[in-house]
Amino acid sequence: MSTTEITIKEVQTSDLININEWKAKQLKIVKENPFVEITDNTSFAEAKKARTNLVSARTEIEKQDKVIASKLKELRSLTQNATNELVLITKPFEDKQQDEVKRYEAIKETEKLEKARIEQERINNIKTEISQTIQSFKEKIKELQFENIEIFEKSFKSSLEIFNKSKFQEFVSDYEVQEIEVLELLQAKISQLRDDEVRRIEREEIEAEKKRLEEQRKIDEENQAKIKAEQEAEAERIRQEQVEAQRKLDEERKAIEAEKKRLQNEENVRLAKIKAEQEAEAERIKKEQAEAQRKLDEEREAIEAEKKRLQDEENERLAKIKAEQEAKELEELKQKQEADRIEKEKAEKLRLEALRPDKEKINSFLEDLTSKIQFPDLKDEALDKELKQFLLDTHQSIRDFQTKIQNFK
């Protein structure tokens, strides 16, 4: 089979891509995907879908252009104009839809920032309320008086037990830590008030004793004249009473000190026990939080791993589909090009066969023309030379023309 060379000028764009067919397809895509104004999440999804369809339509044309360009680089200048014409069908609609999608994405981003601001405001309000609540507790404790200790302590602890701390939401643990500090402050205040009360009683007893002795001294002075004889005996008696009173006072003071020390020891033991229980509870809460965080981290890692696995599978599936699609398109292009080549070869062969009789007629005409020329006998050498040169040139022109006709296609 003979092959025929085809120059780039002889290749038409319609031989490589069906302009009308692709143009109709692009116009259909535009019609099926009208502009969507985004007002909510549903229209947002529809707009993104329309944008994707328009992008796919454009990229399909561009991919067709790339396939042709990779196989027939010399046709690039011809196909580029057709490609640009086709792309311009959907590109304005794609750009318009893209702008609409970006506009709504900006709205969603603003909503996201507003939600974050509201969330931070909620957290700040909770922390402020915790601070104000704890401060109010401390103010009440600061105003506590000794005579109200038992009633206040019972009422205060009861109010803490029924206090609705769930309103502090995820910051309940922060409140509970400060609540423990408030209870410690209450116990310290109670201890201080009790110490102050013991000292007050001691002062009153001493003052009362001094007053009694002063009164007794005045009575002694008033009766001094009457009981002068008995003064020394009375003085001794008084001295003995003073010694006894002092002894009793010392014993009472020692007893008070011992009782105070006992009460302080009991209070220290109770506070130490409360502190140990609080520390144990805090440690337990800390361990529970650590365990919860560990489980949460494990779940998050498992979710991320599963997401990555699914994404890898999806990427592999899409890559496989893309490779199969490109292979299919390339094979279809090869088949089409091969069919076009065979068809053109057949048409060229038929055309050459149709030319062969005319070419034979021309060749026969030229052969007859050269064979019938009679060379005259000239006497002038110069004319004879010019005529011979003319005949040589004519024969050469005829041979060149015969070659041209032979190669004519």
Side-chain angles (χ1 to χ4, degrees):
M1 178 184 298
S2 61
T3 58
T4 304
E5 293 184 358
I6 302 176
T7 64
I8 190 69
K9 294 181 179 180
E10 294 177 314
V11 178
Q12 300 298 319
T13 305
S14 57
D15 294 334
L16 301 175
I17 179 170
N18 191 330
I19 300 296
N20 293 331
E21 179 181 344
W22 282 101
K23 185 174 183 180
K25 185 176 180 181
Q26 295 294 88
L27 291 173
K28 181 180 179 183
I29 292 295
V30 172
K31 183 178 180 181
E32 292 176 349
N33 295 274
F35 176 76
V36 178
E37 181 179 359
I38 302 174
T39 57
D40 51 25
N41 288 334
T42 300
S43 59
F44 177 56
E46 292 177 356
K48 290 179 68 177
K49 181 180 179 182
R51 180 191 64 178
T52 300
N53 292 338
L54 292 168
V55 171
S56 298
R58 173 176 59 80
T59 55
E60 186 177 7
I61 293 296
E62 292 175 343
K63 183 169 63 177
Q64 178 73 9
D65 178 62
K66 290 178 181 179
V67 171
I68 294 173
S70 64
K71 300 301 177 180
L72 303 171
K73 291 183 179 179
E74 65 273 18
L75 297 180
R76 182 63 177 176
S77 59
L78 296 177
T79 60
Q80 186 65 57
N81 293 333
T83 298
N84 292 338
E85 180 183 354
L86 293 173
V87 168
L88 287 175
I89 294 174
T90 57
K91 193 64 169 65
F93 299 94
E94 174 194 339
D95 293 341
K96 184 178 180 181
Q97 191 64 76
Q98 176 71 359
D99 292 340
E100 181 66 2
V101 170
K102 288 183 177 179
R103 182 188 68 81
Y104 193 73
E105 286 176 342
I107 294 174
K108 291 177 71 65
E109 180 64 21
T110 302
E111 294 175 349
K112 179 180 178 182
L113 294 175
E114 178 63 16
K115 289 180 180 178
R117 186 193 65 77
I118 294 172
E119 175 62 10
Q120 186 60 47
E121 183 177 348
R122 179 189 70 83
I123 292 173
N124 293 340
N125 290 339
I126 291 175
K127 290 184 176 180
T128 300
E129 186 174 359
I130 290 174
S131 178
Q132 293 174 348
T133 301
I134 295 300
Q135 186 60 34
S136 67
F137 290 161
K138 291 181 178 179
E139 292 294 332
K140 291 179 180 179
I141 293 173
K142 184 178 180 180
E143 298 173 357
L144 175 62
Q145 300 297 323
F146 175 81
E147 56 270 22
N148 300 325
I149 286 178
E150 294 182 359
I151 296 175
F152 179 88
E153 183 178 17
K154 183 178 180 180
S155 174
F156 187 82
K157 291 182 177 179
S158 177
S159 65
L160 288 183
E161 291 176 356
I162 65 175
F163 182 76
N164 181 23
K165 58 187 178 182
S166 62
K167 63 182 179 179
F168 298 141
Q169 302 178 24
E170 70 270 31
F171 298 100
V172 168
S173 60
D174 293 346
Y175 164 79
E176 290 175 343
V177 171
Q178 297 184 56
E179 184 182 73
I180 292 172
E181 295 175 356
V182 168
L183 289 172
E184 292 176 349
L185 179 63
L186 174 61
Q187 295 306 317
K189 181 69 174 178
I190 292 173
S191 297
Q192 177 191 344
L193 291 174
R194 285 175 175 167
D195 292 342
D196 293 342
E197 182 64 15
V198 170
R199 287 190 291 271
R200 185 190 66 79
I201 293 173
E202 289 177 352
R203 288 193 300 272
E204 288 180 354
E205 289 176 348
I206 293 172
E207 289 297 325
E209 184 63 20
K210 286 181 178 180
K211 184 177 181 181
R212 186 185 69 79
L213 293 174
E214 182 65 24
E215 291 174 352
Q216 185 65 44
R217 187 184 64 79
K218 289 180 180 180
I219 292 173
D220 292 342
E221 288 178 352
E222 292 174 354
N223 296 327
Q224 186 175 10
K226 296 180 180 180
I227 58 173
K228 186 177 181 180
E230 300 175 354
Q231 187 175 11
E232 292 181 357
E234 185 64 21
E236 180 65 20
R237 185 184 64 80
I238 291 172
R239 188 185 65 79
Q240 292 293 332
E241 287 181 354
Q242 289 176 341
V243 170
E244 182 63 20
Q246 185 63 44
R247 185 186 63 79
K248 289 181 178 180
L249 185 62
D250 291 339
E251 290 179 352
E252 289 176 357
R253 184 180 291 109
K254 290 180 180 179
I256 290 171
E257 289 294 332
E259 180 64 16
K260 177 182 175 183
K261 185 176 181 180
R262 186 185 65 81
L263 291 175
Q264 185 63 46
N265 290 338
E266 289 180 355
E267 182 66 15
N268 291 339
V269 171
R270 188 178 68 80
L271 291 176
K273 183 179 179 181
I274 291 174
K275 184 176 181 181
E277 291 175 352
Q278 291 173 348
E279 289 177 351
E281 181 65 14
E283 183 64 22
R284 183 187 65 78
I285 293 173
K286 182 178 179 182
K287 289 181 178 179
E288 289 180 355
Q289 290 176 343
E291 180 63 19
Q293 185 63 40
R294 185 187 63 79
K295 290 182 179 179
L296 181 63
D297 292 341
E298 289 179 352
E299 292 177 358
R300 185 181 292 110
E301 289 176 358
I303 291 172
E304 290 297 328
E306 181 63 15
K307 286 171 63 179
K308 185 177 185 302
R309 185 186 66 80
L310 293 175
Q311 186 61 47
D312 291 342
E313 290 181 356
E314 180 65 12
N315 292 340
E316 183 178 353
R317 185 182 68 82
L318 292 176
K320 183 177 179 182
I321 292 175
K322 181 179 179 181
E324 292 176 351
Q325 182 66 25
E326 291 179 349
K328 181 180 178 182
E329 293 174 353
L330 181 60
E331 183 61 28
E332 290 176 351
L333 178 62
K334 288 181 179 180
Q335 292 177 358
K336 184 177 182 303
Q337 291 174 342
E338 181 63 19
D340 291 344
R341 185 185 64 77
I342 294 173
E343 185 66 25
K344 288 179 179 180
E345 286 183 353
K346 289 180 179 180
E348 182 65 13
K349 184 177 181 180
L350 291 174
R351 189 179 70 83
L352 293 176
E353 286 295 327
L355 288 175
R356 189 158 57 85
D358 288 343
K359 291 167 68 176
E360 290 177 350
K361 290 178 181 179
I362 292 173
N363 190 57
S364 177
F365 167 74
L366 294 174
E367 290 291 339
D368 291 342
L369 183 63
T370 56
S371 62
K372 292 179 179 180
I373 294 175
Q374 298 293 327
F375 189 78
D377 185 14
L378 300 178
K379 294 181 179 181
D380 187 86
E381 293 182 358
L383 289 175
D384 184 70
K385 183 179 180 181
E386 288 294 331
L387 179 61
K388 288 180 178 179
Q389 184 61 46
F390 168 74
L391 291 176
L392 288 173
D393 293 340
T394 301
H395 279 287
Q396 184 61 44
S397 296
I398 291 173
R399 285 196 296 271
D400 292 341
F401 187 66
Q402 285 178 325
T403 301
K404 183 177 180 180
I405 294 299
Q406 182 67 30
N407 294 329
F408 181 79
K409 297 178 180 179

